Amino acid sequence: MDQQGVLQRIRELVGEAGLVTDAPARQARLVDERRLYHGQAALIVRPDSVDQIASILALCNEHHIGVVPQGGNTGYCGGATPFDAERQIVVCLDRLNRIREIDPVAFTMTVEAGLVLAKAQAAAAEHNLLFPLSMGSEGSCQIGGNLSTNAGGLAVLRYGTARELALGLEVVLPDGRVLSELKGLRKDNTGYPLTQLFMGAEGTLGIITAAVLKLFPAAHAIETAWLAVADIEAACRLLGVARQASGDALSSFEYVSGASAELVLDQVADTRAPLQETYAHYVLVEFTSPDSASGLRAGMERLLEVGMEHGWVLDGVLAESGPQRDALWRLRESIPEAEKHSGGAIKHDVSVAVGRIPEFAARLAAELKVLGDYRPSGYGHIGDGNLHYNLLAPEGTDPEAFKQGAGRQLSRAVHALAVSMGGSFSAEHGVGILKAPDLVAYKSPVALEMMKTVKRALDPHGIMNPGKMVPGS
Ligand code: FAD
Ligand code: 2HG
Ligand code: ZN
């Protein structure tokens, strides 16, 4: 069969309903969320069963056609964008979106990879259960994309990253075989933890089609505070106190710089400052518990008291209702949108040990000042040691020119400093195509060689997401 024959065979497999042909729909899938990449593909398909995906991969493997898996296309590193109009196809997962089972005894749910994250959360909530993965893109991103990027988000501190929330996977391998590990066992020591390989693999080893996810009791007590803190050091000191004062019920501890808060208030409708004064540093703290009489309010008040005594907390407000809580979260979650409205940013998702965050922030500001001009938007999951120190074009300058030019040098310095301090150049958003050069620069030769060995073993023809993450793929 020639290449046109293979493509025709794939069209027949998925049928009319499984083809994306109209120009706007194709465009939406060929351009990434940040509009950094404008891709091309021979075909974009939306299969609706594991069997269809298995047949597509078997055909592509035999005829060496590249396959780019795509979930909600909200990824930040161009991982879901195809780059070959003749030899790559996009496989969208959105039609594999069923909830196969919710087991309230085992506290698990088995879902297909194309299920949108917010729908997974809502389905759990209907059973008085919680699926705790949460992030600003939850209305669009999919479980398969979350697992493939090992997404983090707003409650990692308490519940871990996506990988820690999966008990099993179903994966179509590049040759079309299906690895089915959906028993949902919490204990199973029978050999290599194979499914772990696919979480964080960004579609380079196979297509995740389903997962067993961990659930938790739904939260019936929630205390949320927006606190102005003296500096980043004060924020870090407060973190330890928050964990103790909450009785280890701390689920989020997010840092927001004054600059990022201002950007949201300027750029995003229906947002307002929670405090009368403006400050240079804030934290959003949340305690949650399934027990409505768990005394979280007293814990939050203790946190404030201790924080104020030490001069770490300068001011603050506690949410008194659901809408007030939502308004505080909106300030934090709208920062990416505000950056977008301001022309976009050079984004970073670096991590260092939590205790070294103040040193990292101070050294970074000093280094970047010498290298060039920019507007900072610093925020992030400080409780996980993960900062988004994003850089916007200086006021009155062209954002595109900044992102293509001067900003890049600054970005290299951000990654280099994080790595030199024992941290990571990518704690959350992954590698994709954007950070593939960083992987080569910073991963040890042994780790790189092992990655290539795994890739060769599972995907000898290199059909899965070519050019992404793994060097030389
Ligand atoms: P896509 O973008 O479609 O794909 C991402 C990668 O996974 C690609 O390499 C793709 O090939 C691969 N892939 C997708 N589905 C599959 C599958 N079924 N099998 C195999 N490979 C697959 N990320 C965070 O970690 N934390 C955050 O807090 C966060 N907040 C965000 C807020 C906003 C406003 C936005 C726009 C993005 C945010 N992100 C965040 C980034 C992004 O939403 C996550 O990386 C998310 O997990 C991507 O899911 P997706 O379904 O959109 O995947
Ligand atoms: C967040 O924490 C996301 O809000 C997005 O990871 C970060 O847009 C960003 O830089
Ligand atoms: Zn983040």
Side-chain angles (χ1 to χ4, degrees):
M1 216 181 326
D2 66 3
Q3 193 176 313
Q4 285 313 317
V6 179
L7 296 177
Q8 183 53 28
R9 182 77 197 93
I10 295 172
R11 284 191 195 94
E12 287 159 13
L13 265 169
V14 297
E16 197 67 31
L19 291 173
V20 181
T21 49
D22 80 282
R26 274 181 65 86
Q27 205 47 23
R29 294 175 188 274
L30 291 174
V31 179
D32 73 307
E33 160 72 30
R34 295 172 62 190
R35 309 193 72 77
L36 296 176
Y37 301 104
H38 294 254
Q40 319 182 60
L43 200 60
I44 305 177
V45 292
R46 299 170 57 227
D48 76 346
S49 71
V50 178
D51 283 352
Q52 282 186 4
I53 294 181
S55 304
I56 293 169
L57 290 204
L59 269 168
C60 290
N61 194 48
E62 194 183 334
H63 298 279
H64 300 191
I65 292 182
V67 176
V68 180
Q70 191 173 97
N73 198 19
T74 68
Y76 269 174
C77 307
T81 310
F83 289 103
D84 192 322
E86 280 165 15
R87 300 207 59 83
Q88 288 186 15
I89 68 164
V90 180
V91 173
C92 304
L93 273 297
D94 59 323
R95 289 174 81 206
L96 254 79
N97 59 7
R98 287 162 282 249
I99 295 170
R100 293 192 189 163
E101 187 188 15
I102 295 187
D103 183 342
V105 175
F107 279 69
T108 59
M109 79 199 286
T110 306
V111 306
E112 293 183 342
L115 185 71
V116 168
L117 172 57
K119 293 198 172 158
Q121 296 165 342
E126 277 175 27
H127 293 257
N128 194 24
L129 294 167
L130 170 76
F131 181 57
L133 191 68
S134 163
M135 61 196 77
S137 54
E138 63 199 21
S140 310
C141 63
Q142 301 172 5
I143 296 297
N146 298 147
L147 294 170
S148 297
T149 57
N150 185 28
L154 305 165
V156 170
L157 193 59
R158 174 92 159 268
Y159 298 101
T161 59
R163 172 183 285 136
E164 289 157 83
L165 295 169
L167 288 170
L169 295 185
E170 176 186 80
V171 183
V172 180
L173 301 178
D175 62 7
R177 286 177 300 159
V178 178
L179 174 74
S180 183
E181 295 282 336
L182 291 176
K183 292 198 270 297
L185 300 177
R186 281 172 199 261
K187 301 180 88 174
D188 179 14
N189 283 344
T190 54
Y192 299 140
L194 298 175
T195 53
Q196 289 293 327
L197 271 177
F198 300 91
M199 295 188 265
E202 301 182 34
T204 59
L205 297 177
I207 297 191
I208 298 175
T209 48
V212 185
L213 304 175
K214 283 187 198 167
L215 300 176
F216 298 82
H220 292 293
I222 306 181
E223 290 296 336
T224 312
W226 178 270
L227 307 177
V229 291
D231 49 28
I232 296 195
E233 169 111 38
C236 288
R237 288 180 185 275
L238 205 61
L239 170 67
V241 182
R243 206 158 164 198
Q244 299 283 3
S246 65
D248 215 9
L250 178 64
S251 48
S252 297
F253 196 91
E254 295 285 313
Y255 169 75
V256 178
S257 65
S260 298
E262 285 306 312
L263 204 62
V264 171
L265 295 169
D266 269 5
Q267 301 286 341
V268 182
D270 301 328
T271 53
R272 62 177 196 87
L275 304 173
Q276 285 194 336
E277 306 280 317
T278 55
Y279 297 88
H281 309 274
Y282 302 98
V283 287
L284 179 56
V285 187
E286 189 158 277
F287 299 169
T288 57
S289 167
D291 176 4
S292 53
S294 52
L296 293 186
R297 172 56 68 121
M300 193 62 95
E301 284 166 357
R302 201 156 52 249
L303 175 68
L304 272 172
E305 207 177 286
V306 175
M308 285 183 155
E309 248 169 51
H310 285 85
W312 301 332
V313 174
L314 306 177
D315 198 353
V317 59
L318 304 190
E320 297 294 348
S321 66
Q324 276 184 19
R325 170 181 180 252
D326 293 346
L328 297 181
W329 271 110
R330 192 163 151 70
L331 278 178
R332 162 63 184 89
E333 291 190 85
S334 303
I335 303 172
E337 182 188 335
E339 289 176 353
K340 211 174 193 177
H341 291 326
S342 311
I346 296 225
K347 291 180 181 285
H348 300 105
D349 61 316
V350 295
S351 63
V352 294
V354 182
R356 296 194 74 183
I357 285 206
E359 180 195 346
F360 174 75
R363 285 177 62 183
L364 189 62
E367 279 190 24
L368 294 188
K369 203 169 160 190
V370 178
L371 288 176
D373 220 8
Y374 66 95
R375 275 183 300 149
S377 171
Y379 58 104
H381 321 285
I382 194 171
D384 311 326
N386 173 197
L387 271 192
H388 299 303
Y389 194 88
N390 295 344
L391 314 175
L392 287 86
E395 204 74 64
T397 66
D398 174 18
E400 290 314 314
F402 174 75
K403 283 187 281 179
Q404 300 305 325
R408 292 197 176 188
Q409 196 193 350
L410 299 173
S411 184
R412 279 194 286 276
V414 178
H415 288 176
L417 182 65
V419 175
S420 77
M421 288 180 63
S424 170
F425 66 87
S426 180
E428 252 201 340
H429 302 149
V431 177
I433 195 141
L434 179 68
K435 288 179 257 170
D438 296 275
L439 194 85
V440 175
Y442 295 124
K443 206 90 179 160
S444 76
V446 176
L448 275 178
E449 202 41 56
M450 281 178 74
M451 283 178 68
K452 289 186 199 168
T453 305
V454 171
K455 173 76 175 168
R456 271 195 305 269
L458 289 182
D459 183 17
H461 300 310
I463 65 158
M464 290 307 310
N465 221 352
K468 312 291 170 46
M469 194 164 77
V470 190
S473 64

